[in-house]
Amino acid sequence: MSITQNIEHVSALIAKAARGVGRDPASVTLLAVSKTFGPDAVIEAAEAGQRAFGENYLQEAIDKQQAVLLLRPDLALEWHFIGPIQSNKTRPIAEHFAWAHAVDREKIARRLSEQRPPNLPPLNFCLQVNVSGEDSKSGVAPTEVLALAQVVATLPGLQLRGLMAIPEPAEDVESQRKPFALLRALQQQLTEAGIPTDTLSMGMSADMDAAIAEGATIVRIGTAIFGRRDYAK
Ligand SMILES: *Cc1c(COP(=O)(O)O)cnc(C)c1O
């Protein structure tokens, strides 16, 4: 199937999953994860109506953005950085993206805020939460989300939009839903503490339905749109 057909198919699956739990399909945004795929794939997706693209690898992403801009300056795309953020990479992220999904430390948030160019609107961001409780995974611990949010929500160059998670893979929908339900509960905790947010960035190709059932507002889909990635990135 072509990228165009895949986008239509994934959009239909999102709409079905949303309606199935009584949600408006328009409340779920499809983020097309284009990592490892070239500018032509992005352009094909954009021509099919896709606006938001997710990237993990900084240099690859910036090269791709420039190539797309040269080829198709008419496309107004929205770029999301969804990879882990090292402190020596904050400046180009602050300069080249509309969103950062995986902020998990105060230091990173402060640098992004300071380095956000003043002519751009605040950088939208999510706090990544370690919902699976594994030591190796990045993300703030669930018990520390509120304290971190209180500090980073007021940074002038940033706009806290919500929470993001990448749970451990699980086979059945019931097990997939648990970590997503936790993320939703943590968002509720922020709301009750006077930090309202509008975003739950959760769900990938394999667990999209479970995420939508638990309130995902952004699903990050790569494989189901662009196909399998050649190498393990
Ligand atoms: C690669 C990636 C995705 C997309 O994963 P697929 O399984 O290809 O849909 C989503 N989110 C993050 C953070 C990723 O790194």
Side-chain angles (χ1 to χ4, degrees):
M1 285 218 292
S2 68
I3 290 172
T4 304
Q5 287 170 320
N6 288 344
I7 286 189
E8 284 168 9
H9 180 66
V10 170
S11 301
L13 291 178
I14 291 172
K16 187 168 176 240
R19 285 201 195 91
V21 293
R23 295 185 58 195
D24 178 358
S27 67
V28 185
T29 297
L30 172 58
L31 180 62
V33 178
S34 42
K35 64 183 175 197
T36 81
F37 293 92
D40 292 351
V42 170
I43 290 169
E44 184 178 344
E47 284 171 345
Q50 181 62 31
R51 283 288 159 270
F53 291 86
E55 292 283 338
N56 286 49
Y57 308 103
L58 190 56
Q59 196 53 53
E60 178 199 330
I62 291 173
D63 292 347
K64 201 179 301 180
Q65 290 172 351
Q66 283 169 354
V68 171
L69 196 63
L70 277 174
L71 291 163
R72 292 295 303 273
D74 57 308
L75 298 173
L77 306 183
E78 184 180 86
W79 293 95
H80 295 230
F81 193 79
I82 61 174
I85 306 174
Q86 295 156 337
S87 55
N88 63 346
K89 300 282 173 60
T90 50
R91 185 177 298 279
I93 291 170
E95 289 174 350
H96 292 277
F97 290 85
W99 284 69
H101 285 237
V103 175
D104 62 0
R105 284 183 285 152
E106 179 183 343
K107 181 186 171 191
I108 298 293
R110 285 197 187 280
R111 288 175 66 95
L112 289 170
S113 176
E114 282 159 15
Q115 294 168 344
R116 182 67 167 173
N119 60 312
L120 294 179
L123 177 68
N124 298 293
F125 78 107
C126 294
L127 291 176
Q128 183 180 357
V129 183
N130 182 351
V131 287
S132 298
E134 290 206 350
D135 297 343
S136 59
K137 279 278 172 69
S138 47
V140 59
T143 50
E144 288 160 20
V145 171
L146 177 58
L148 180 59
Q150 279 165 334
V151 175
V152 297
T154 57
L155 294 172
L158 303 185
Q159 179 70 53
L160 177 60
R161 297 295 297 269
L163 303 177
M164 177 271 213
I166 311 171
E168 281 294 286
E171 291 301 319
D172 60 295
V173 174
E174 282 315 304
S175 331
Q176 289 176 350
R177 282 180 69 151
K178 278 181 195 145
F180 295 139
L182 171 59
L183 204 67
R184 181 163 52 81
L186 290 167
Q187 185 191 39
Q188 182 61 28
Q189 182 192 39
L190 296 188
T191 306
E192 283 161 13
I195 308 173
T197 57
D198 62 8
T199 300
L200 287 174
S201 168
M202 57 190 198
M204 321 208 309
S205 296
D207 55 13
M208 188 180 82
D209 284 8
I212 291 171
E214 293 296 346
T217 64
I218 298 180
V219 288
R220 308 178 310 267
I221 308 295
T223 309
I225 294 175
F226 297 105
R228 288 183 59 176
R229 291 177 286 276
D230 284 346
Y231 44 109
K233 273 204 162 181

mmCIF file of all heavy atoms in Angstrom, residues 163-184:
data_model
loop_
_atom_site.group_PDB
_atom_site.id
_atom_site.type_symbol
_atom_site.label_atom_id
_atom_site.label_comp_id
_atom_site.label_asym_id
_atom_site.label_seq_id
_atom_site.Cartn_x
_atom_site.Cartn_y
_atom_site.Cartn_z
ATOM 1 N N LEU A 163 1.282 15.185 28.889
ATOM 2 C CA LEU A 163 2.147 14.072 29.263
ATOM 3 C C LEU A 163 2.306 13.104 28.100
ATOM 4 O O LEU A 163 1.434 12.981 27.241
ATOM 5 C CB LEU A 163 1.551 13.330 30.469
ATOM 6 C CG LEU A 163 1.291 14.188 31.719
ATOM 7 C CD1 LEU A 163 0.626 13.353 32.806
ATOM 8 C CD2 LEU A 163 2.582 14.827 32.231
ATOM 9 N N MET A 164 3.444 12.424 28.115
ATOM 10 C CA MET A 164 3.764 11.469 27.048
ATOM 11 C C MET A 164 4.315 10.208 27.684
ATOM 12 O O MET A 164 4.963 10.263 28.736
ATOM 13 C CB MET A 164 4.810 12.099 26.136
ATOM 14 C CG MET A 164 5.306 11.222 25.012
ATOM 15 S SD MET A 164 6.738 10.206 25.438
ATOM 16 C CE MET A 164 7.586 10.156 23.880
ATOM 17 N N ALA A 165 4.050 9.041 27.075
ATOM 18 C CA ALA A 165 4.624 7.792 27.579
ATOM 19 C C ALA A 165 4.843 6.804 26.437
ATOM 20 O O ALA A 165 4.162 6.847 25.411
ATOM 21 C CB ALA A 165 3.714 7.158 28.633
ATOM 22 N N ILE A 166 5.826 5.955 26.665
ATOM 23 C CA ILE A 166 6.100 4.825 25.758
ATOM 24 C C ILE A 166 6.102 3.573 26.627
ATOM 25 O O ILE A 166 7.145 3.163 27.134
ATOM 26 C CB ILE A 166 7.478 4.963 25.082
ATOM 27 C CG1 ILE A 166 7.672 6.356 24.477
ATOM 28 C CG2 ILE A 166 7.665 3.872 24.025
ATOM 29 C CD1 ILE A 166 9.102 6.611 23.984
ATOM 30 N N PRO A 167 4.954 2.943 26.863
ATOM 31 C CA PRO A 167 4.930 1.773 27.749
ATOM 32 C C PRO A 167 5.639 0.577 27.138
ATOM 33 O O PRO A 167 5.840 0.512 25.923
ATOM 34 C CB PRO A 167 3.437 1.468 27.905
ATOM 35 C CG PRO A 167 2.712 2.607 27.309
ATOM 36 C CD PRO A 167 3.635 3.280 26.348
ATOM 37 N N GLU A 168 5.989 -0.353 28.004
ATOM 38 C CA GLU A 168 6.489 -1.643 27.552
ATOM 39 C C GLU A 168 5.454 -2.297 26.634
ATOM 40 O O GLU A 168 4.254 -2.203 26.899
ATOM 41 C CB GLU A 168 6.658 -2.566 28.767
ATOM 42 C CG GLU A 168 7.912 -2.303 29.558
ATOM 43 C CD GLU A 168 9.130 -2.632 28.749
ATOM 44 O OE1 GLU A 168 9.413 -3.829 28.565
ATOM 45 O OE2 GLU A 168 9.813 -1.698 28.285
ATOM 46 N N PRO A 169 5.905 -2.985 25.585
ATOM 47 C CA PRO A 169 4.943 -3.673 24.726
ATOM 48 C C PRO A 169 4.123 -4.703 25.512
ATOM 49 O O PRO A 169 4.656 -5.386 26.388
ATOM 50 C CB PRO A 169 5.824 -4.382 23.687
ATOM 51 C CG PRO A 169 7.132 -3.679 23.721
ATOM 52 C CD PRO A 169 7.283 -3.146 25.115
ATOM 53 N N ALA A 170 2.834 -4.772 25.234
ATOM 54 C CA ALA A 170 1.968 -5.777 25.864
ATOM 55 C C ALA A 170 1.053 -6.331 24.785
ATOM 56 O O ALA A 170 0.711 -5.630 23.835
ATOM 57 C CB ALA A 170 1.161 -5.150 26.994
ATOM 58 N N GLU A 171 0.680 -7.578 24.934
ATOM 59 C CA GLU A 171 -0.055 -8.243 23.860
ATOM 60 C C GLU A 171 -1.521 -7.843 23.799
ATOM 61 O O GLU A 171 -2.024 -7.413 22.779
ATOM 62 C CB GLU A 171 0.052 -9.767 24.020
ATOM 63 C CG GLU A 171 1.444 -10.311 23.772
ATOM 64 C CD GLU A 171 1.957 -9.993 22.368
ATOM 65 O OE1 GLU A 171 1.167 -10.093 21.410
ATOM 66 O OE2 GLU A 171 3.145 -9.629 22.249
ATOM 67 N N ASP A 172 -2.211 -7.975 24.926
ATOM 68 C CA ASP A 172 -3.658 -7.780 24.862
ATOM 69 C C ASP A 172 -4.037 -6.357 25.253
ATOM 70 O O ASP A 172 -3.307 -5.668 25.974
ATOM 71 C CB ASP A 172 -4.360 -8.790 25.767
ATOM 72 C CG ASP A 172 -3.933 -8.638 27.206
ATOM 73 O OD1 ASP A 172 -2.735 -8.882 27.487
ATOM 74 O OD2 ASP A 172 -4.771 -8.244 28.036
ATOM 75 N N VAL A 173 -5.192 -5.938 24.753
ATOM 76 C CA VAL A 173 -5.617 -4.548 24.931
ATOM 77 C C VAL A 173 -5.762 -4.186 26.405
ATOM 78 O O VAL A 173 -5.401 -3.083 26.808
ATOM 79 C CB VAL A 173 -6.932 -4.300 24.162
ATOM 80 C CG1 VAL A 173 -7.466 -2.899 24.446
ATOM 81 C CG2 VAL A 173 -6.692 -4.459 22.671
ATOM 82 N N GLU A 174 -6.239 -5.133 27.216
ATOM 83 C CA GLU A 174 -6.413 -4.814 28.644
ATOM 84 C C GLU A 174 -5.089 -4.455 29.313
ATOM 85 O O GLU A 174 -5.002 -3.480 30.053
ATOM 86 C CB GLU A 174 -7.084 -5.990 29.374
ATOM 87 C CG GLU A 174 -8.594 -6.076 29.148
ATOM 88 C CD GLU A 174 -9.308 -4.713 29.273
ATOM 89 O OE1 GLU A 174 -9.161 -4.068 30.327
ATOM 90 O OE2 GLU A 174 -9.974 -4.301 28.313
ATOM 91 N N SER A 175 -4.039 -5.234 29.033
ATOM 92 C CA SER A 175 -2.728 -4.901 29.619
ATOM 93 C C SER A 175 -2.164 -3.624 29.017
ATOM 94 O O SER A 175 -1.466 -2.879 29.701
ATOM 95 C CB SER A 175 -1.721 -6.025 29.406
ATOM 96 O OG SER A 175 -2.335 -7.261 29.336
ATOM 97 N N GLN A 176 -2.461 -3.391 27.744
ATOM 98 C CA GLN A 176 -1.971 -2.156 27.117
ATOM 99 C C GLN A 176 -2.616 -0.927 27.750
ATOM 100 O O GLN A 176 -1.994 0.131 27.856
ATOM 101 C CB GLN A 176 -2.285 -2.157 25.612
ATOM 102 C CG GLN A 176 -1.444 -3.134 24.808
ATOM 103 C CD GLN A 176 -1.849 -3.181 23.343
ATOM 104 O OE1 GLN A 176 -2.870 -2.620 22.943
ATOM 105 N NE2 GLN A 176 -1.055 -3.866 22.539
ATOM 106 N N ARG A 177 -3.859 -1.069 28.184
ATOM 107 C CA ARG A 177 -4.589 0.110 28.691
ATOM 108 C C ARG A 177 -4.072 0.592 30.031
ATOM 109 O O ARG A 177 -4.177 1.782 30.334
ATOM 110 C CB ARG A 177 -6.090 -0.213 28.804
ATOM 111 C CG ARG A 177 -6.788 -0.167 27.465
ATOM 112 C CD ARG A 177 -8.264 -0.472 27.568
ATOM 113 N NE ARG A 177 -9.021 0.577 28.251
ATOM 114 C CZ ARG A 177 -10.298 0.833 27.998
ATOM 115 N NH1 ARG A 177 -10.959 0.131 27.086
ATOM 116 N NH2 ARG A 177 -10.924 1.781 28.661
ATOM 117 N N LYS A 178 -3.517 -0.314 30.848
ATOM 118 C CA LYS A 178 -3.146 0.071 32.222
ATOM 119 C C LYS A 178 -2.184 1.254 32.296
ATOM 120 O O LYS A 178 -2.458 2.228 33.011
ATOM 121 C CB LYS A 178 -2.590 -1.136 32.975
ATOM 122 C CG LYS A 178 -3.704 -1.996 33.524
ATOM 123 C CD LYS A 178 -3.177 -3.188 34.294
ATOM 124 C CE LYS A 178 -4.323 -4.187 34.501
ATOM 125 N NZ LYS A 178 -3.866 -5.567 34.452
ATOM 126 N N PRO A 179 -1.022 1.199 31.612
ATOM 127 C CA PRO A 179 -0.123 2.360 31.690
ATOM 128 C C PRO A 179 -0.726 3.636 31.104
ATOM 129 O O PRO A 179 -0.438 4.735 31.582
ATOM 130 C CB PRO A 179 1.119 1.912 30.897
ATOM 131 C CG PRO A 179 0.708 0.709 30.139
ATOM 132 C CD PRO A 179 -0.423 0.081 30.855
ATOM 133 N N PHE A 180 -1.578 3.483 30.112
ATOM 134 C CA PHE A 180 -2.222 4.672 29.536
ATOM 135 C C PHE A 180 -3.216 5.273 30.530
ATOM 136 O O PHE A 180 -3.353 6.498 30.634
ATOM 137 C CB PHE A 180 -2.929 4.321 28.227
ATOM 138 C CG PHE A 180 -2.007 3.884 27.117
ATOM 139 C CD1 PHE A 180 -2.341 2.823 26.286
ATOM 140 C CD2 PHE A 180 -0.802 4.540 26.894
ATOM 141 C CE1 PHE A 180 -1.500 2.423 25.256
ATOM 142 C CE2 PHE A 180 0.052 4.150 25.866
ATOM 143 C CZ PHE A 180 -0.300 3.083 25.043
ATOM 144 N N ALA A 181 -3.898 4.404 31.277
ATOM 145 C CA ALA A 181 -4.819 4.887 32.305
ATOM 146 C C ALA A 181 -4.060 5.631 33.394
ATOM 147 O O ALA A 181 -4.531 6.651 33.920
ATOM 148 C CB ALA A 181 -5.605 3.715 32.895
ATOM 149 N N LEU A 182 -2.867 5.146 33.712
ATOM 150 C CA LEU A 182 -2.033 5.835 34.698
ATOM 151 C C LEU A 182 -1.663 7.229 34.203
ATOM 152 O O LEU A 182 -1.725 8.211 34.951
ATOM 153 C CB LEU A 182 -0.766 5.006 34.986
ATOM 154 C CG LEU A 182 0.315 5.671 35.842
ATOM 155 C CD1 LEU A 182 -0.226 6.071 37.207
ATOM 156 C CD2 LEU A 182 1.522 4.756 36.001
ATOM 157 N N LEU A 183 -1.301 7.327 32.920
ATOM 158 C CA LEU A 183 -0.932 8.643 32.387
ATOM 159 C C LEU A 183 -2.124 9.603 32.462
ATOM 160 O O LEU A 183 -1.982 10.769 32.826
ATOM 161 C CB LEU A 183 -0.443 8.503 30.942
ATOM 162 C CG LEU A 183 0.485 9.624 30.472
ATOM 163 C CD1 LEU A 183 1.809 9.594 31.209
ATOM 164 C CD2 LEU A 183 0.725 9.578 28.966
ATOM 165 N N ARG A 184 -3.309 9.075 32.154
ATOM 166 C CA ARG A 184 -4.520 9.906 32.228
ATOM 167 C C ARG A 184 -4.777 10.363 33.663
ATOM 168 O O ARG A 184 -5.125 11.523 33.918
ATOM 169 C CB ARG A 184 -5.718 9.119 31.684
ATOM 170 C CG ARG A 184 -7.010 9.902 31.696
ATOM 171 C CD ARG A 184 -8.046 9.255 30.787
ATOM 172 N NE ARG A 184 -8.239 7.833 31.055
ATOM 173 C CZ ARG A 184 -8.999 7.352 32.019
ATOM 174 N NH1 ARG A 184 -9.653 8.172 32.827
ATOM 175 N NH2 ARG A 184 -9.133 6.055 32.184
#
